[in-house]
Amino acid sequence: MVRFSAFMVLAFLCLWATAIEAEEHPKYKDPKQPLHVRIKDLMSRMTLEEKIGQMTMIERNVTSPEVIKKYHIGNILIAGGTAPAPQASAEQWMDMTDEFQKWALSDRLRIPVIVGIDAIHGHNNAYNSTIFPHNVGLGATRDPQLIKKIGAATALEVRATGIPYAFAPCIAVCRDPRWGRCYESYSEDPKIVQTMTEIIPGLQGDIPTNYPMNFPYINNDRIKVAGCAKHFVGDGGTINGIDENNTIIDWNGLKNIHMPAYHDSVRKGVATIMVSYSSWNGKKMHSNYDLITGYLKNKLKFKGIVSSDSEAIDRITSPPHANYTYSVQASIQAGIDMVIVPYKFLEFIDDLTLLVKKNVIPMSRIDDAVKRILRVKFMLGHFENPMADRALASQLGSQEHRELAREAVRKSLVLLKNGKNGDETFLPLPKKAQKILVAGTHANDIGNQCGGWTVEWNGQSGDITVGTTILTAVKNTVDTSTEVIYSENPNREFLDSNDFSYAIVVVGELPYSESVGDSKDLKIAEPGYSTITNVCESVKCVVIVISGRPVIIEPYLEKMDALVAAWLPGTEGQGVADVLYGDYGFTGKLARTWMRTVDQLPMNVGDANYDPLFPFGHGLTTTPREQIAAQ
């Protein structure tokens, strides 16, 4: 009897020791365990409150140790223009993100947070980062491998600030340039947009052979980030190009125009997909169960995170936030997993908790959402390496990345006109001349050159970041004997009193983003047209248009000797001079139709009454000087 009791005690002690061991070394913390085992183990330990915290993304300005610990917040948004300090260094960014992780790791289950940021043309919120051309320009390159390299460079720069998640790429198919987000779209042609999803393996890494089909993939070597295909679906087809409005199109149209790039994104392992503010045939996308769960999750078998846009569930009702409990219910039941509620997160958490406790929203829906979020966190290697890698700081704005951006600028330029009235070609320009004029509001303004989503949400004119303006690039390129005169808006008296060999006029749109950029007239900023008129009627001129879309230019076209669409080229203006002066040839082709008047819109290639100023695919070419010399 005594032996039996001792045996029982021993067995009990063994079981107790095993339990302690399991508690101290849970399976979810073991990187050797299969992914599904880690997810299941962690979820079995989580309370409802901890699960809802994982579904919540809040803005970094309202984040605190108390908030993260009390509400178990799983995700943090860094919105446009909310850097840790003006002109913050890579180290300052990493200090901030590491602090967030320390707060999260002090919570009971030590689940790291995902920090996400818009990095849509490079790491555009960070000062001194490499700003690549916006997507409207990249579409003109027709070069998916270049776009993949840009994705890899962007991932490195984002990681250089301690951030593992980029809200990119935008794979909208912009069908009307009046839309204020048209520059975020690669093309009006879904086929081009499909090819540009090659940015996803650039951001996330190449999927290994024999990897599960349509399963998210992130190389966890800490130089890649989780990507985000957006905005699902049809955001580029709204009526009159009005942002966040209604896309009226039948199912076949939606499937053939706006959906194809999502098939490619899922196939390439995109980690997250963000839902659009817009509606489809009157139904808000954030409440569309058939498309989010029925099509994306069930038909395409997408296993990553479906994210809301910022404060987007509020806008399910009109006016926004009119019935917030309904908005929470409708969006979660539609299939949204991670909800961006930057400021009013307490209301979201309270409403969702109550809806689950009342069995309005089933626990299975919460578990589906949390499983997807944890899957991405495990794939990022976040549980093993939640802190920033300080060795990457030098990648922010590196010379290698700037050279890549310069190449992208060269390849994105579209030569629309070269030679006046059948005369001989005007470009490339001679480097050696007595005196040349550079004019226009955009010639010496890095902010105008970069456009929206640069340092600030809407962008900003002026010296907002480090880069090379087109004026500086011209001075770098011309012969030392050539005198370069800059005058932003020269009058006729100034022009007549100088003997200029030729003029370069750089004009365009001022920075904007989203609905701020919606335009009914598509005109360039004043005094752009008068600068074109004054200069080009007095001096032989090339006009360079800096814009996020085709703009009205036909009434002034005959005055110009050459016309170049430079889109929003970013920080590396030297790429413009490279081609302007013949070190490289013009190769870009329009990925958008260039209309004559706004009355023609929407007008896309293949339409019955297609009468553009410059058709889709247009783009004159030039031969580099070295090649001419060799011939």
Side-chain angles (χ1 to χ4, degrees):
M1 186 72 181
V2 174
R3 286 183 192 170
F4 181 72
S5 297
F7 175 77
M8 291 291 289
V9 170
L10 185 61
F12 172 77
L13 289 172
C14 288
L15 288 170
W16 180 74
T18 303
I20 292 295
E21 176 75 13
E23 204 56 42
E24 289 179 352
H25 301 284
K27 290 180 180 178
Y28 79 88
K29 291 184 178 179
D30 182 2
K32 295 178 182 177
Q33 293 288 336
L35 179 62
H36 70 277
V37 171
R38 299 182 77 183
I39 294 170
K40 184 178 179 181
D41 180 64
L42 179 50
M43 289 189 64
S44 71
R45 301 166 186 272
M46 296 174 74
T47 64
L48 172 62
E49 289 72 23
E50 286 168 331
K51 289 177 178 179
I52 289 175
Q54 286 300 305
M55 296 172 66
T56 308
M57 176 175 268
I58 67 174
E59 218 283 323
R60 75 109 179 159
N61 284 324
V62 297
T63 304
S64 69
E66 295 75 24
V67 164
I68 285 188
K69 198 162 185 179
K70 183 175 180 180
Y71 300 103
H72 317 289
I73 300 298
N75 316 282
I76 296 171
L77 165 72
I78 301 178
T82 59
Q87 300 185 8
S89 66
E91 288 80 6
Q92 286 175 294
W93 281 91
M94 288 191 276
D95 288 344
M96 178 182 70
T97 58
D98 278 357
E99 193 171 25
F100 295 154
Q101 294 299 357
K102 287 172 187 173
W103 298 344
L105 296 175
S106 69
D107 200 5
R108 182 178 74 94
L109 293 170
R110 298 176 60 83
I111 303 173
V113 291
I114 292 181
V115 180
I117 195 165
D118 282 286
I120 62 174
H121 61 141
H123 191 9
N124 47 260
N125 280 291
Y127 179 79
N128 196 32
S129 65
T130 307
I131 304 298
F132 292 92
H134 267 298
N135 289 354
V136 65
L138 296 182
T141 70
R142 305 290 206 280
D143 190 343
Q145 290 309 305
L146 173 67
I147 275 60
K148 183 179 180 179
K149 290 177 186 175
I150 290 171
T154 300
L156 273 170
E157 298 210 11
V158 171
R159 280 288 195 174
T161 55
I163 299 169
Y165 180 25
F167 301 123
C170 177
I171 53 172
V173 181
C174 174
R175 303 290 283 179
D176 192 325
R178 289 173 291 185
W179 185 37
R181 304 192 77 153
C182 201
Y183 63 71
E184 295 183 50
S185 169
Y186 293 108
S187 179
E188 70 190 43
D189 179 5
K191 291 186 177 64
I192 289 178
V193 179
Q194 278 182 280
T195 66
M196 296 302 169
T197 59
E198 197 60 19
I199 194 173
I200 292 168
L203 290 165
Q204 300 188 163
D206 289 309
I207 294 178
T209 53
N210 302 320
Y211 193 76
M213 184 79 112
N214 295 350
F215 201 77
Y217 175 77
I218 310 161
N219 187 325
N220 64 3
D221 58 8
R222 305 184 73 197
I223 61 170
K224 298 298 183 183
V225 295
C228 178
K230 62 184 189 181
H231 307 86
F232 188 82
V233 61
D235 50 340
T238 56
I239 299 169
N240 298 326
I242 300 170
D243 191 37
E244 302 183 19
N245 209 262
N246 191 20
T247 297
I248 299 176
I249 195 170
D250 63 20
W251 167 242
N252 283 334
L254 189 77
K255 188 171 66 173
N256 294 331
I257 294 172
H258 299 284
M259 195 69 82
Y262 286 97
H263 288 251
D264 288 68
S265 298
V266 172
R267 183 171 55 81
K268 291 176 181 178
V270 74
T272 75
I273 290 176
M274 183 178 285
V275 178
S276 175
Y277 286 119
S278 59
S279 304
W280 178 44
N281 295 335
K283 175 77 171 176
K284 289 281 187 180
M285 274 305 311
H286 274 76
S287 63
N288 196 315
Y289 174 89
D290 291 338
L291 285 176
I292 296 172
T293 296
Y295 195 82
L296 182 59
K297 287 186 172 181
N298 294 344
K299 186 169 180 62
L300 297 189
K301 309 296 183 187
F302 177 61
K303 294 292 191 296
I305 301 169
V306 176
S307 167
S308 82
D309 209 328
S310 183
E311 296 184 297
I313 68 169
D314 303 51
R315 305 180 203 188
I316 288 174
T317 59
S318 184
H321 210 82
N323 185 346
Y324 193 65
T325 303
Y326 168 74
S327 295
V328 173
Q329 177 185 337
S331 59
I332 300 301
Q333 287 183 327
I336 292 174
D337 306 311
M338 185 169 71
V339 182
I340 304 179
V341 276
Y343 306 108
K344 298 174 183 176
F345 59 92
L346 293 182
E347 187 179 3
F348 167 74
I349 289 170
D350 288 345
D351 281 4
L352 182 53
T353 303
L354 192 62
L355 286 166
V356 175
K357 287 183 175 178
K358 286 186 172 182
N359 296 318
V360 176
I361 294 176
M363 198 64 200
S364 59
R365 175 74 272 274
I366 301 300
D367 285 344
D368 171 58
V370 176
K371 184 184 297 183
R372 291 165 179 271
I373 292 163
L374 294 178
R375 181 177 289 135
V376 170
K377 289 188 177 185
F378 280 121
M379 286 182 157
L380 279 166
H382 233 30
F383 282 80
E384 289 71 55
N385 294 297
M387 299 302 182
D389 183 350
R390 303 279 164 161
L392 293 175
S394 61
Q395 295 291 335
L396 187 68
S398 74
Q399 190 57 40
E400 183 182 353
H401 296 164
R402 291 185 183 278
E403 288 300 326
L404 178 64
R406 183 174 170 180
E407 177 189 353
V409 173
R410 291 195 295 260
K411 291 182 175 179
S412 67
L413 302 175
V414 179
L415 181 56
L416 299 173
K417 176 182 179 179
N418 192 15
K420 187 183 284 186
N421 304 324
D423 292 352
E424 63 182 56
T425 57
F426 187 62
L427 299 180
L429 296 171
K431 293 182 181 181
K432 194 166 187 176
Q434 186 175 343
K435 187 195 300 185
I436 66 172
L437 171 68
V438 179
T441 50
H442 290 55
N444 194 35
D445 193 306
I446 201 73
N448 287 351
Q449 197 171 291
C450 291
W453 291 109
T454 309
V455 181
E456 300 291 337
W457 173 48
N458 281 307
Q460 193 175 319
S461 298
D463 294 331
I464 61 170
T465 193
V466 177
T468 304
T469 67
I470 293 170
L471 173 63
T472 301
V474 169
K475 289 179 176 178
N476 290 343
T477 306
V478 296
D479 190 84
T480 53
S481 65
T482 301
E483 184 182 1
V484 180
I485 303 294
Y486 171 61
S487 176
E488 187 173 303
N489 186 30
N491 57 32
R492 292 297 178 96
E493 183 183 352
F494 173 83
L495 291 161
D496 291 342
S497 63
N498 282 277
D499 185 18
F500 292 113
S501 303
Y502 58 84
I504 300 168
V505 179
V506 192
V507 292
E509 296 184 296
L510 296 177
Y512 58 81
S513 66
E514 301 192 39
S515 58
V516 175
D518 285 357
S519 173
K520 293 180 180 178
D521 59 21
L522 292 178
K523 290 182 178 178
I524 62 173
E526 291 297 339
Y529 293 123
S530 60
T531 304
I532 292 171
T533 300
N534 287 343
V535 176
C536 295
E537 287 184 352
S538 304
V539 187
K540 279 184 168 294
C541 75
V542 53
V543 173
I544 300 172
V545 176
I546 306 292
S547 67
R549 52 201 164 186
V551 290
I552 296 303
I553 207 73
E554 185 179 35
Y556 307 90
L557 188 59
E558 65 177 16
K559 303 177 192 294
M560 309 169 191
D561 294 276
L563 173 62
V564 176
W567 314 110
L568 296 169
T571 52
E572 306 315 303
Q574 193 65 48
V576 176
D578 287 344
V579 183
L580 212 57
Y581 283 95
D583 293 330
Y584 294 81
F586 280 93
T587 57
K589 303 293 181 185
L590 285 181
R592 304 211 52 79
T593 296
W594 201 295
M595 70 285 155
R596 298 177 185 277
T597 69
V598 291
D599 296 336
Q600 294 177 293
L601 299 176
M603 176 176 60
N604 294 281
V605 63
D607 288 356
N609 299 313
Y610 192 68
D611 180 31
L613 179 61
F614 300 110
F616 176 90
H618 175 74
L620 305 174
T621 58
T622 58
T623 305
R625 288 193 187 280
E626 279 190 11
Q627 194 173 327
I628 293 171
Q631 290 169 352

